[in-house]
Amino acid sequence: MTGSTTTSAAWTALVRHRDDGIAPLGKLLTDDPGRATRLGIEVGDLWIDPSRQQVTDTTLALLADLADERSVAASFQRMMDGQPVNATEGIPALHTALRAPGHEVIRVGGVDVVPAVHATLDRMSDLATSIRDGRRTGATGEPITAVVSLGIGGSHLGPALAAEALSHLAQADLTVRFSSNLDGADLVEALDGLEPASTLIVVCSKSFTTVETLTAAQSARGWLAEGLGVDRAAEHVVAVTASPERSEAFGIPAELTFELPQWVGGRFSLPSAVGLAVMVAIGPPAFMELLAGMRLVDEHVATAPTLRNGPVLLGLIDVWNRSLLGRTSMAVVPYAHRLKLLPAYLQQLSMESLGKGTTLDGLAVDTPTGAVVWGTAGTDGQHAFFQLLHQGTDVVPCDLIGVARTAADPRGAHQNLLLANLAAQAAALTHGRTRAEVAAGGTPPDLVPHRTFAGNRPSTTILLPELTPSVLGQLLATYEHRTVTAATVWGIDPFDQWGVELGKELASRIAADPDGGDHDGSTIELLRRYRELRGT
Ligand code: F6P
């Protein structure tokens, strides 16, 4: 959406409404016991409860007006129709086409892209199945029993999260690992204990220019060659890329390359061939369930009315928290060990999408945009940063994500306690504890201020029945569309990431010419000390 966010009538009304003051959260909940039932939304299997956010019915109505004025619904339609919504790169953002059923027709430049999506899924499925049933052998005739996926950012975070979240479904006799960091220690760890003869390397890079991934791919190929010889090593490397000519130049032939469409953004690419390692781990049917879960939310976001539309409502509340209430960060706390990579995944999804200061019109934004996203699994987070959430000087809205059932704990001994902790934290953040309550408990007067909690700290609860592929897909698609909603209101491009380019460019200049004359004094001193420490 182009044009200024803050000149819209709904924005002006929202500012006035905020300035009139919002009742404390504790009061909102106490005065209206049905608030959670009324505001909560079921999106597929997810229960999303925004009742602990600092919003009233008036706030929500005004946010819905804002969504109308900023054409949120029409923007989703344009995105799903394959219009070039990634305006600064002049391409569509068609991640929804990756989970479209085979009969759907979605045209880009007059060509229906759905058949190619399904053809790639079929090729992935053939490879994954042949590995899973032991038919895919390596150059020496040994079956492939290990897959190591190399990639970074969007070519890593989604698959790593999904593989971990669904690890209870993984085939036990297969090893699936990921390596992203340029630090060689990461690759050493990923290859540790594996045999070249039974290992397949998947090089995931949309651009096939990313230094981290290509460096790891070279080293991994060297490791394979040491065990198998240079020629035979080539059979053990496949590519996932939007640039097959570059992967071919790297030495990976077309028949071992899986094409990632140019119109899929890296951070939206889990349901593409970037998810190949996940498909190997959990099997094609489970991978297709993941896609079906995402599809379910695509349909929901395209059809549900604004205030019953889970992702849209969450995106609007993000705008409210960030732009109107001035919250600079947001914590994500999954009360599920297997979702512990979710904060890292969301950091890229949200911060790479919303960390923009220029509108689609090329003007400076006139309101704060993307918040810092951070977090870790509950209850670990409770023993680390929750002190700040409860008593720090900044208010940090949180997403608290719970899971009802897990095969790891069928009787619920751990699960019941986990959920009790989630519920307790949400309530403590909401209501706090007054001075009078603390004093009444017999606390010595000098400790009363220290033991008082202001409360009125917002959170959203998301409850999942179980970590199935479909539920995971629903959760991730909800966050995708939530992110796009906020970007649409702000009038920024959520699909580009120009901000990562400068650092990349300087890194290659420094790596190529560490003694170059145009480095600043701090860089020169850093490099001098580095060389001294390395004795070079
Ligand atoms: O961090 C910048 C970025 O371009 C991300 O957007 C992307 O997901 C990642 O690098 C990896 O890019 P590629 O898949 O092209 O290697």
Side-chain angles (χ1 to χ4, degrees):
M1 174 72 194
T2 55
S4 164
T5 315
T6 61
T7 53
S8 74
W11 191 272
T12 310
L14 275 164
V15 170
R16 201 172 313 125
H17 167 67
R18 177 205 57 199
D19 293 346
D20 287 346
I22 307 286
L25 264 179
K27 184 169 164 43
L28 290 176
L29 274 138
T30 314
D31 289 357
D32 178 6
R35 183 172 152 94
T37 314
R38 201 160 43 80
L39 300 188
I41 300 182
E42 279 177 13
V43 177
D45 298 311
L46 316 182
W47 166 247
I48 300 175
D49 176 12
S51 66
R52 295 183 188 278
Q53 289 290 341
Q54 289 169 309
V55 292
T56 63
D57 289 340
T58 307
T59 324
L60 294 175
L62 291 173
L63 286 171
D65 290 348
L66 181 67
D68 273 353
E69 286 186 23
R70 301 298 292 160
S71 305
V72 168
S75 293
F76 273 116
Q77 198 56 58
R78 288 186 66 235
M79 181 183 94
M80 293 181 184
D81 283 350
Q83 302 295 315
V85 291
N86 179 354
T88 71
E89 295 182 298
I91 51 175
L94 254 185
H95 40 284
T96 47
L98 297 171
R99 49 253 192 173
H103 58 78
E104 196 156 306
V105 175
I106 305 172
R107 293 187 203 284
V108 174
V111 178
D112 180 11
V113 297
V114 177
V117 165
H118 282 264
T120 300
L121 282 169
D122 288 347
R123 285 188 66 217
M124 289 165 64
S125 176
D126 287 348
L127 177 61
T129 306
S130 68
I131 293 174
R132 289 169 64 82
D133 64 19
R135 278 181 298 117
R136 174 64 151 88
T137 52
T140 63
E142 269 190 59
I144 296 294
T145 55
V147 172
V148 178
S149 187
L150 310 179
I152 196 163
S155 295
H156 166 245
L157 291 161
L161 162 65
E164 168 109 9
L166 303 173
S167 54
H168 54 291
L169 303 178
Q171 185 165 311
D173 58 354
L174 288 178
T175 301
V176 173
R177 294 185 189 159
F178 298 86
S179 173
S180 60
N181 201 303
L182 184 55
D183 186 336
D186 192 12
L187 183 65
V188 166
E189 224 170 85
L191 298 177
D192 186 42
L194 303 184
E195 290 299 329
S198 52
T199 300
L200 184 76
I201 303 288
V202 182
V203 186
C204 283
S205 175
K206 179 179 173 186
S207 60
F208 229 81
T209 59
T210 304
V211 173
E212 290 90 336
T213 305
L214 297 188
T215 306
Q218 287 285 15
S219 300
R221 198 158 56 180
W223 174 81
L224 288 169
E226 267 175 36
L228 301 168
V230 174
D231 291 344
R232 299 207 295 188
E235 288 178 43
H236 289 246
V237 185
V238 303
V240 175
T241 186
S243 181
E245 57 294 338
R246 289 206 187 102
S247 56
E248 184 139 28
F250 186 83
I252 305 174
E255 63 272 19
L256 294 180
T257 295
F258 294 82
E259 199 155 348
L260 170 63
Q262 194 57 249
W263 39 255
V264 178
R267 50 197 177 273
F268 298 88
S269 65
L270 167 64
S272 74
V274 165
L276 179 59
V278 180
M279 190 193 260
V280 172
I282 65 174
F287 191 80
M288 295 311 286
E289 277 176 40
L290 175 87
L291 269 49
M294 299 186 110
R295 167 73 182 183
L296 187 153
V297 180
D298 298 342
E299 285 171 359
H300 168 88
V301 86
T303 53
T306 307
L307 295 183
R308 302 310 300 160
N309 192 314
V312 169
L313 183 63
L314 290 174
L316 292 171
I317 291 175
D318 287 340
V319 172
W320 168 250
N321 278 332
R322 179 71 191 104
S323 297
L324 287 131
L325 301 184
R327 311 300 181 218
T328 54
S329 85
M330 165 188 155
V332 179
V333 187
Y335 280 76
H337 177 67
R338 288 197 172 126
L339 284 178
K340 63 179 181 292
L341 297 179
L342 184 66
Y345 166 84
L346 292 179
Q347 272 177 341
Q348 189 203 17
L349 177 63
S350 178
M351 291 166 76
E352 213 171 68
S353 301
L354 303 177
K356 313 282 162 70
T358 305
T359 68
L360 287 163
D361 300 317
L363 302 171
V365 294
D366 51 6
T367 177
T369 57
V372 173
V373 175
W374 56 285
T376 195
T379 56
D380 302 82
Q382 290 176 200
H383 295 271
F385 56 76
F386 267 64
Q387 167 63 39
L388 186 148
L389 297 187
H390 286 294
Q391 289 187 317
T393 50
D394 278 347
V395 172
V396 181
C398 317
D399 279 6
L400 306 175
I401 302 165
V403 180
R405 300 184 300 269
T406 165
D409 179 29
R411 284 185 295 131
H414 294 251
Q415 217 57 27
N416 296 344
L417 279 173
L418 263 183
L419 198 85
N421 272 274
L422 184 160
Q425 294 299 332
L429 287 163
T430 302
H431 301 283
R433 180 166 280 167
T434 63
R435 274 172 176 262
E437 285 167 340
V438 177
T443 299
D446 57 328
L447 282 184
V448 168
H450 298 282
R451 302 192 64 174
T452 299
F453 294 65
N456 203 27
R457 300 193 170 214
S459 62
T460 292
T461 307
I462 302 179
L463 184 62
L464 322 178
E466 195 172 354
L467 267 181
T468 64
S470 171
V471 167
L472 181 70
Q474 293 169 37
L475 182 69
L476 300 187
T478 295
Y479 275 104
E480 285 180 351
H481 297 318
R482 167 183 184 167
T483 303
V484 172
T485 299
T488 306
V489 173
W490 283 323
I492 56 178
D493 187 339
F495 306 113
D496 66 12
Q497 58 282 316
W498 299 107
V500 300
E501 293 306 320
L502 178 59
K504 282 189 199 171
E505 197 184 304
L506 293 184
S508 43
R509 222 189 289 164
I510 291 169
D513 184 13
D515 300 318
D518 63 347
H519 304 322
D520 68 21
S522 177
T523 305
I524 291 168
E525 181 61 9
L526 170 70
L527 295 174
R528 188 191 66 71
R529 284 178 175 268
Y530 172 74
R531 275 196 300 269
E532 196 174 286
L533 289 169
R534 287 192 62 91
T536 54

